[in-house]
Amino acid sequence: MSAPHASVLGLDRSLSGRLWRWRGGNMNLGGGAATLDHDLVTQLLLSRGVAPEDVERHRNPSLRAFLPDPSQFRDMDAAAERLAQAVLTQERVTVYGDYDVDGATSAALLIRLLRDLGLDAGYYIPDRLLEGYGPSGAALVRLAEEGSSLIVTVDCGAMAHEALGMAHAAGVDVIVVDHHKCSAELPLAAALVNPNRLDESDTGAAHGHLAAVGVAFLLAVAIVRTLRQRGFFDGRSEPDLFALLDIVALGTVADVAALHGLNRALVSQGLKVMARRDNIGMAALIDASRLSRAPTCSDLGFALGPRINAGGRVGESTLGVRLLITEDPDEARAIASQLSTLNEERRAIEAEVQEAAEAQIAAQHNRAVLTIAGHGWHPGVIGIVAGRIKEKTGKPTLVVALNADEHGNGKGSGRSIAGVDLGAAIIAAREHGLLVAGGGHAMAAGLTIAEGKIDALGDWLDKQLGSTVSVAMANQAMLLDMAIAPGGLVPALVETMESAGPFGVGWPGPRIAVGPVRLVKADVVGTDHLRLIVRGDDGTSFKAIAFRAANSEMGQTLLHATHQRRLWLAGRAKIDDWTSRPAAELHLEDAAFCD
């Protein structure tokens, strides 16, 4: 990394006001000013924190290289033993999942595994609006009364003290499979598997970045191993755990889990499984998303995941699980089509809430954590809106739908920035008496709050997180991996960089600077997208597009800029495959005048 005040490409300030910094050293390929001691992929790996001696393991991340022994995690062996016993004795098991993608994929993974083991498990997904997040004590007791002797909660349960106490009193065993932040006191359960337990071992806690579906996959490995040791597979074949990785990849990416270490291996291998289209429901989801090629990591986050989420946000909460476990192609197509329709409905609702929420930003410019609330807002979209506002302002953001439950409480969802653990802060706020309920992880959190305490929560978060947010925002520089001349922006470069993926949170996609260029054309496409056609001094032209940026300071500057001024453009290189001849384009994030 360059010195903190070192200038990149001789630029002092970008159009968005951000500093430009090299991520891992000056890789200026435009004029031959720098030479590379390593090939491009190696350099990208090194700049993302991989030790030189560990490069080959990360170049092609495999499960064999990254999968830990599941027994390293507290309660993992107890959970595997209890589920193995349920398989052997054909108990009635219900998987209780959250209503988002991580919950749906976690539930589907365990249901498919148990089905392969000869046990037809049921599922229960709560209604977001009527029941809210986490296990309901009444629902757990009802499942027990209906005959379930074992319930497995996935992507929820780590903080469900009252509900799990009711289940215990009803005589039903509960296994919790979760990844959300825990308090020191754990709820009563037959086993609680969560790498973010405060009493987790160092080796287990090192995997705290796993999504719940990743924890569920480790449990699946442990269950199969336990049954193997008991001789269950003598004379019968073992289930193909590798075939479940498409589900793991979808849940991991959609839950915005950090894509380093084990997660990167799970997603990398899961994308290969997804390309085979063996899962009937997943194949229908891909078709409904109008993808004519094998899905990429970004497709999971922006095309497939939102459709699964739409069921829990504005539709029927069980649709995602039903889609991912069905073996009926007709049912799969019908559910996938329904989810696509719900996703369009979700987009319209989201746009209305976002417009109302953004109107409150100016009044909160002094807040460290934006705390925005409104009546009539749909609780199913507030997390998305919080994420949008966080991206726009660079600040952690909480969005609260007021009067969202039968007690008149508000339901809130928050999104954070790197370096600010919002989940821990929300748990602390709950323990401080500011919240009815709340929890989450570093980058996302959920809460229930009385309307009269929203201002107090904002003040408390300012006091607790003010300095942390200031430091985090000061460090939000535009980190560049390389600079190239316009003629270097070609599909081969994009393909080479993509081979260092999959990219996501914690493993950022390569960001490049291209220039110098002059504007040929600048216009607005869609509702708020800025499209540029630029030409370099070498005569090469290419397209750049900045999503939802037409009304930003950068967007307005570029729309009205003279075509004579030269620019450097910064963003991510992508392949535009909508044309007959694929070309490289730039997904623009920032720009700076260079003369």
Side-chain angles (χ1 to χ4, degrees), residues 404-560:
D405 68 10
E406 67 274 18
H407 303 294
N409 294 315
K411 294 287 187 179
S413 187
R415 298 295 183 267
S416 193
I417 60 177
V420 180
D421 190 336
L422 187 59
I426 292 302
I427 290 174
R430 177 191 178 199
E431 294 173 346
H432 195 68
L434 291 168
L435 304 175
V436 176
H441 47 80
M443 299 301 290
L447 57 88
T448 303
I449 185 171
E451 181 173 347
K453 291 191 174 182
I454 289 178
D455 288 340
L457 174 64
D459 293 340
W460 188 86
L461 288 172
D462 270 349
K463 182 178 180 180
Q464 297 297 313
L465 296 178
S467 60
T468 304
V469 171
S470 296
V471 171
M473 291 184 67
N475 291 332
Q476 285 183 345
M478 171 72 71
L479 297 181
L480 299 172
D481 288 284
M482 69 184 73
I484 62 172
L489 186 60
V490 295
L493 174 68
V494 181
E495 291 167 359
T496 299
M497 290 192 298
E498 287 297 321
S499 68
F503 299 107
V505 173
W507 195 266
R511 187 183 283 123
I512 66 174
V514 188
V517 298
R518 286 184 171 86
L519 283 171
V520 175
K521 181 181 180 181
D523 60 1
V524 178
V525 294
T527 56
D528 189 26
H529 308 316
L530 174 68
R531 179 178 59 187
L532 306 178
I533 304 296
V534 298
R535 179 181 294 114
D537 293 342
D538 59 5
T540 303
S541 298
F542 65 88
K543 181 177 72 175
I545 185 163
F547 297 103
R548 295 183 297 275
N551 293 315
S552 68
E553 180 179 350
M554 178 190 75
Q556 288 298 303
T557 300
L558 291 173
L559 283 169
H560 298 95

Side-chain angles (χ1 to χ4, degrees), residues 175-320:
I175 294 172
V176 175
V177 180
D178 206 350
H179 70 132
H180 293 97
K181 297 284 185 180
C182 295
S183 59
E185 180 185 356
L186 298 175
L188 188 61
L192 195 156
V193 185
N194 184 341
N196 288 305
R197 286 175 55 154
L198 295 181
D199 62 346
E200 184 56 86
S201 66
D202 290 342
T203 52
H207 293 89
H209 62 295
L210 287 172
V213 71
V215 182
F217 181 77
L218 292 176
L219 177 57
V221 174
I223 294 168
V224 170
R225 182 175 62 184
T226 299
L227 288 170
R228 185 188 305 124
Q229 293 168 347
R230 293 195 180 191
F232 181 76
F233 299 113
D234 294 346
R236 68 164 72 186
S237 60
E238 295 190 10
D240 181 5
L241 294 177
F242 196 87
L244 298 172
L245 289 178
D246 56 348
I247 295 176
V248 180
L250 177 57
T252 298
V253 174
D255 208 52
V256 202
L259 293 189
H260 57 75
L262 177 57
N263 274 348
R264 186 162 166 263
L266 291 169
V267 173
S268 179
Q269 300 305 318
L271 287 170
K272 296 176 184 177
V273 175
M274 196 175 293
R276 302 197 317 234
R277 297 172 59 93
D278 293 339
N279 184 312
I280 291 171
M282 190 76 76
L285 184 65
I286 293 168
D287 291 341
S289 301
R290 297 185 292 278
L291 293 175
S292 57
R293 47 166 173 73
T296 64
C297 194
S298 62
D299 293 327
L300 306 191
F302 294 104
L304 306 188
R307 283 171 166 78
I308 296 289
N309 255 336
R313 291 187 186 280
V314 298
E316 183 184 340
S317 60
T318 63
L319 289 174

Side-chain angles (χ1 to χ4, degrees), residues 57-108:
R57 186 169 73 113
H58 286 79
R59 190 183 296 274
N60 294 296
S62 67
L63 282 189
R64 181 181 296 275
F66 285 93
L67 193 69
D69 181 348
S71 295
Q72 294 176 353
F73 297 85
R74 290 194 181 277
D75 280 7
M76 182 68 81
D77 288 342
E81 289 283 351
R82 183 65 186 86
L83 276 160
Q85 185 63 29
V87 170
L88 291 169
T89 58
Q90 290 292 293
E91 292 183 53
R92 185 167 179 176
V93 177
T94 299
V95 181
Y96 191 117
D98 188 25
Y99 38 66
D100 69 358
V101 183
D102 195 16
T105 52
S106 299

